[in-house]
Amino acid sequence: LRSTDVIHSFFVRELRVKQDAVPGMAIPIWFEPTKAGDYEIACNQICGLGHYRMKGTLHVLEAPAYEAWVNEQPPFLESPSPETP
Protein backbone atom coordinates (compact mmCIF):
# COMPACT_ATOMS: atom_id res chain seq x y z
CA LEU A 1 0.00 0.00 0.00
CA ARG A 2 1.17 3.52 -0.77
CA SER A 3 -0.10 7.02 -0.12
CA THR A 4 1.15 10.25 -1.60
CA ASP A 5 -0.68 12.72 0.62
CA VAL A 6 -2.05 11.67 4.04
CA ILE A 7 -2.53 8.52 6.10
CA HIS A 8 -5.23 6.30 4.59
CA SER A 9 -6.51 3.00 5.96
CA PHE A 10 -7.25 0.09 3.59
CA PHE A 11 -10.18 -1.77 5.15
CA VAL A 12 -12.21 -4.84 4.11
CA ARG A 13 -14.61 -5.39 7.00
CA GLU A 14 -15.88 -8.88 6.11
CA LEU A 15 -12.32 -10.23 5.81
CA ARG A 16 -11.13 -8.43 8.95
CA VAL A 17 -8.32 -6.78 7.01
CA LYS A 18 -7.10 -3.31 7.91
CA GLN A 19 -3.78 -1.70 7.09
CA ASP A 20 -2.69 1.93 7.14
CA ALA A 21 -1.03 3.51 4.10
CA VAL A 22 1.55 6.09 5.19
CA PRO A 23 2.95 8.79 2.88
CA GLY A 24 6.45 7.97 1.66
CA MET A 25 6.27 4.29 2.63
CA ALA A 26 5.45 1.11 0.72
CA ILE A 27 3.66 -1.23 3.12
CA PRO A 28 3.07 -4.85 2.05
CA ILE A 29 -0.22 -6.51 2.95
CA TRP A 30 -1.21 -10.17 2.63
CA PHE A 31 -4.54 -11.81 3.27
CA GLU A 32 -6.27 -14.93 1.99
CA PRO A 33 -10.03 -14.79 1.43
CA THR A 34 -11.84 -18.05 2.12
CA LYS A 35 -15.19 -17.30 0.48
CA ALA A 36 -16.02 -16.06 -3.02
CA GLY A 37 -18.01 -12.84 -3.27
CA ASP A 38 -17.79 -9.08 -3.66
CA TYR A 39 -16.47 -7.10 -0.72
CA GLU A 40 -16.41 -3.35 -0.19
CA ILE A 41 -12.97 -1.74 0.16
CA ALA A 42 -13.15 1.43 2.20
CA CYS A 43 -10.76 3.97 3.67
CA ASN A 44 -11.21 3.70 7.42
CA GLN A 45 -9.32 6.90 8.21
CA ILE A 46 -10.86 10.38 8.09
CA CYS A 47 -8.34 11.59 5.55
CA GLY A 48 -9.87 14.69 4.00
CA LEU A 49 -12.79 16.14 2.08
CA GLY A 50 -12.91 13.33 -0.50
CA HIS A 51 -12.90 10.59 2.15
CA TYR A 52 -16.52 9.59 1.54
CA ARG A 53 -15.70 8.78 -2.12
CA MET A 54 -12.81 6.44 -1.34
CA LYS A 55 -14.48 3.10 -2.01
CA GLY A 56 -13.78 0.12 -4.17
CA THR A 57 -14.82 -3.49 -4.59
CA LEU A 58 -12.74 -6.62 -4.07
CA HIS A 59 -13.96 -9.45 -6.31
CA VAL A 60 -13.05 -12.88 -4.92
CA LEU A 61 -13.59 -15.72 -7.41
CA GLU A 62 -13.59 -19.49 -7.11
CA ALA A 63 -10.47 -21.07 -8.68
CA PRO A 64 -12.09 -22.11 -12.02
CA ALA A 65 -13.66 -18.67 -12.52
CA TYR A 66 -10.36 -17.01 -11.67
CA GLU A 67 -8.46 -19.17 -14.18
CA ALA A 68 -11.03 -18.30 -16.88
CA TRP A 69 -10.61 -14.59 -16.07
CA VAL A 70 -6.80 -14.86 -16.24
CA ASN A 71 -7.01 -16.57 -19.63
CA GLU A 72 -9.21 -13.73 -20.97
CA GLN A 73 -6.62 -11.06 -20.10
CA PRO A 74 -4.19 -9.75 -22.72
CA PRO A 75 -0.54 -10.70 -22.22
CA PHE A 76 1.24 -8.39 -19.79
CA LEU A 77 4.27 -8.04 -22.01
CA GLU A 78 3.72 -8.64 -25.67
CA SER A 79 6.59 -9.41 -28.02
CA PRO A 80 7.53 -6.36 -30.06
CA SER A 81 6.37 -6.60 -33.63
CA PRO A 82 9.03 -6.39 -36.32
CA GLU A 83 9.31 -2.92 -37.77
CA THR A 84 8.38 -2.51 -41.40
CA PRO A 85 10.71 -0.41 -43.52
Side-chain angles (χ1 to χ4, degrees):
L1 296 174
R2 295 173 191 257
S3 172
T4 58
D5 48 7
V6 297
I7 296 175
H8 297 280
S9 186
F10 174 87
F11 181 53
V12 184
R13 184 186 70 222
E14 294 86 353
L15 302 179
R16 296 183 178 167
V17 174
K18 183 178 176 190
Q19 176 62 60
D20 288 345
V22 180
M25 296 179 70
I27 301 172
I29 182 173
W30 174 267
F31 57 97
E32 193 168 323
T34 58
K35 184 177 177 185
D38 293 338
Y39 302 95
E40 180 184 21
I41 300 170
C43 181
N44 200 43
Q45 182 79 21
I46 304 298
C47 54
L49 295 175
H51 171 74
Y52 72 97
R53 291 180 286 158
M54 297 187 71
K55 294 181 182 178
T57 303
L58 171 66
H59 303 287
V60 177
L61 304 172
E62 297 287 347
Y66 174 74
E67 291 297 326
W69 176 83
V70 167
N71 291 330
E72 293 172 0
Q73 303 309 304
F76 179 69
L77 295 174
E78 294 185 21
S79 300
S81 59
E83 293 183 36
T84 54

